[in-house]
Amino acid sequence: MLAEIHQFIIVFTAYVIAAGSPGPSNMRIMAVAMNDGRRAALAIASGVVSGSIFWGLMAATGVSAILSRYAQALVVLQVLGGLYLLYLAFKAGKAALSSDKDQLRPTNERKATAATLYKRGLLMHLTNPKSILAWIALMMLGLGPGASPYTVLVILAGCAVLSVTIFCGYAIVFSTAPMIRLYRRARYWIEGTLAVFFGFAGLKLLLTRI
């Protein structure tokens, strides 16, 4: 029992580091939260959470392990993910170059329905091959040769709770009044940094061989 608890702690710690560290999903949630408010950010965060749980289920059932052996499937996801990140870089760059007057107009995120925002977050996470590989690594880390269904269930449930806490936490924290004021004061720098970040991540994803 103590050995299992120790293993769970290792897996959950690894997940917190992987999911909580700055990445395309977190950066997108932060930007939407500061620019478009909590509701829009939570909708996108919900899509990201769903994508994370989906890949967790796939990894637990062994589907992701099969995908990892077929480079073609991962290459398709890699290309789609890279193109989507470049699209986000374009949007961030456009926002950085726009005037404050333009920024006061309703954005796509403000006009979009919750369902549309949810799908955007889901798409971002599903087209990121690193999410698949991270979940495979987590399952290999947490599941030994004699792992029981109970162990798999605990890992999935624990990571699902952590996923909601982390991604929705980003949406809530970065939609607070101090963060919104910070965004308005440093909008050009924030959007410019996001444009560079997404552009670099997108090109890296497109040019890196899996």
Side-chain angles (χ1 to χ4, degrees):
M1 186 64 179
L2 287 175
E4 275 193 334
I5 293 175
H6 182 258
Q7 203 66 18
F8 290 150
I9 292 173
I10 292 175
V11 172
F12 294 151
T13 302
Y15 183 83
V16 168
I17 294 172
S21 58
S25 297
N26 287 335
M27 296 292 281
R28 184 60 179 161
I29 292 170
M30 289 163 54
V32 171
M34 289 187 290
N35 190 36
D36 300 292
R38 183 170 300 174
R39 187 173 180 179
L42 283 173
I44 286 186
S46 298
V48 172
V49 169
S50 298
S52 180
I53 294 173
F54 172 81
W55 286 129
L57 290 170
M58 293 297 100
T61 56
V63 175
S64 288
I66 295 174
L67 281 175
S68 67
R69 298 176 185 174
Y70 294 92
Q72 297 87 345
L74 286 178
V75 166
V76 172
L77 287 172
Q78 186 176 15
V79 171
L80 291 174
L83 291 175
Y84 189 65
L85 288 174
L86 290 179
Y87 167 71
L88 293 179
F90 169 76
K91 289 189 68 176
K94 185 178 178 182
L97 295 174
S98 64
S99 65
D100 291 330
K101 183 178 179 181
D102 290 334
Q103 282 297 303
L104 292 176
R105 298 172 183 170
T107 64
N108 289 336
E109 277 71 21
R110 289 196 187 100
K111 292 186 292 184
T113 64
T116 299
L117 293 168
Y118 172 85
K119 285 186 283 187
R120 289 175 185 172
L122 181 63
L123 176 65
M124 178 185 296
H125 220 65
L126 290 183
T127 55
N128 186 357
K130 292 182 180 179
S131 299
I132 312 169
L133 298 177
W135 267 107
I136 293 174
L138 280 172
M139 286 300 171
M140 293 178 72
L141 182 65
L143 302 179
S148 65
Y150 165 78
T151 303
V152 177
L153 182 61
V154 170
I155 290 176
L156 285 175
C159 288
V161 171
L162 290 172
S163 180
V164 172
T165 304
I166 292 168
F167 294 120
C168 291
Y170 268 95
I172 293 171
V173 170
F174 284 90
S175 61
T176 57
M179 287 297 178
I180 292 173
R181 287 196 295 269
L182 172 65
Y183 174 81
R184 288 174 179 170
R185 287 198 302 266
R187 180 177 64 80
Y188 299 103
W189 290 103
I190 291 172
E191 293 291 352
T193 300
L194 287 172
V196 172
F197 175 84
F198 285 131
F200 175 78
L203 289 174
K204 184 177 180 182
L205 201 56
L206 289 173
L207 299 176
T208 300
R209 297 182 62 183
I210 296 179

